Amino acid sequence: MFLYHYFDRSIGPFRNISDLSPQKAQAVLDDIKMNKPNTQCAKRQEEYIEYRLYYENILREEFLKRGGTIERQVPHYMVIGHSPWLYSWYENPGVIKIPIEEFDLSSVSFTYGDSHPTFSAKVNDGKEYRRKLYTYDEILKLIEKYGYPQDWNDDGKYGPERYIEAHIWSDRTIQKYVSIYNSAKQ
C-alpha cells in the first residue's frame, strides 16, 4: 500500500498552509486565487483557512484520544492510493508516492473521505464513517468493507468521499522524501 501526496511542482511538495499564521495562509490562498484561478485550490470558500484550522483541531483531539503520537501541531496530508481527481487539482501536478511501511503508524491517522466533510455538521447521510477518525488497522477493515472511494466515486456523484485521507503527524518520513525530491530536481 502506498500513500500519495499531490502538489504543484512550481511550489513543491508538503508545503503546508496550516504551518503559516492565519493571515499569511489567507495571503497564500488569495495569491492562488489571483494567479491560478483555474485550479481547484482557487475555488475554496473565503472561510477555508478558518474551517481548515477548525477541522485540524478536531483531528488532533481525536487522534490524541486514540493514543496517537503527535509530533507536529497540524498534519501533512496524503491519500491511500492514486486519486485521479486530486491529481487534476494543479496546473503543473506532481506526486510523491511513499510505501506505508516507511511511516511510524502510531503517527498516522485516517478518515474515509476528506476530513472536512467527514466531520462537517452539514453532511448527515448516516454513513458509518462520518465523524470518525481511524488507525491504520481500522482503516484496512473499512477498505475491505467499502473499497477505495476513488474507485467508485472519483467524480463525487455518490457523496463527498473521493479518497481516503491520511494525516501524517510527524516530519520524519516526509523530510526524507522532500530531500529526495529536491535532489532529483537539481
Side-chain angles (χ1 to χ4, degrees):
M1 176 181 294
F2 289 90
L3 297 185
Y4 287 71
H5 173 71
Y6 300 94
F7 59 96
D8 187 311
R9 289 180 184 275
S10 67
I11 296 169
F14 297 105
R15 300 293 303 270
N16 195 326
I17 200 167
S18 296
D19 285 332
L20 304 172
S21 71
Q23 297 79 13
K24 286 183 181 177
Q26 187 61 51
V28 168
L29 191 56
D30 292 344
D31 184 64
I32 291 169
K33 287 179 179 188
M34 187 181 341
N35 295 308
K36 297 178 184 246
N38 298 321
T39 65
Q40 187 69 29
C41 295
K43 297 176 176 110
R44 291 180 166 146
Q45 72 271 32
E46 274 306 309
E47 304 86 5
Y48 174 76
I49 300 299
E50 179 184 335
Y51 290 160
R52 180 172 170 136
L53 296 173
Y54 171 78
Y55 291 120
E56 286 176 340
N57 191 49
I58 291 172
L59 293 174
R60 188 174 41 263
E61 288 176 9
E62 290 298 314
F63 198 43
L64 284 171
K65 285 181 196 173
R66 306 295 306 272
T69 302
I70 294 183
E71 297 175 8
R72 50 180 287 120
Q73 274 300 106
V74 295
H76 289 293
Y77 292 92
M78 299 187 79
V79 297
I80 297 178
H82 173 58
S83 170
W85 183 64
L86 285 177
Y87 188 79
S88 75
W89 276 27
Y90 305 97
E91 289 177 347
N92 186 13
V95 62
I96 290 183
K97 178 177 158 184
I98 305 174
I100 190 80
E101 297 82 14
E102 296 242 9
F103 293 95
D104 172 357
L105 294 176
S106 72
S107 67
V108 183
S109 60
F110 302 88
T111 49
Y112 194 85
D114 188 282
S115 54
H116 292 212
T118 294
F119 285 99
S120 174
K122 294 178 183 178
V123 180
N124 293 305
D125 56 16
K127 293 180 180 175
E128 72 172 285
Y129 42 80
R130 297 287 179 243
R131 294 168 198 41
K132 291 185 183 170
L133 185 94
Y134 296 95
T135 64
Y136 177 65
D137 291 334
E138 293 166 335
I139 203 66
L140 289 178
K141 291 176 186 168
L142 219 54
I143 293 168
E144 189 175 309
K145 187 172 185 177
Y146 295 108
Y148 294 96
Q150 58 266 44
D151 290 343
W152 57 267
N153 195 39
D154 191 55
D155 61 2
K157 181 177 170 181
Y158 300 109
E161 57 278 355
R162 293 181 174 206
Y163 48 81
I164 297 168
E165 190 174 83
H167 321 108
I168 315 301
W169 297 95
S170 170
D171 287 321
R172 283 178 277 147
T173 301
I174 300 300
Q175 289 306 321
K176 172 184 169 186
Y177 278 84
V178 168
S179 293
I180 292 168
Y181 173 80
N182 288 336
S183 293
K185 271 184 23 175
Q186 297 174 355

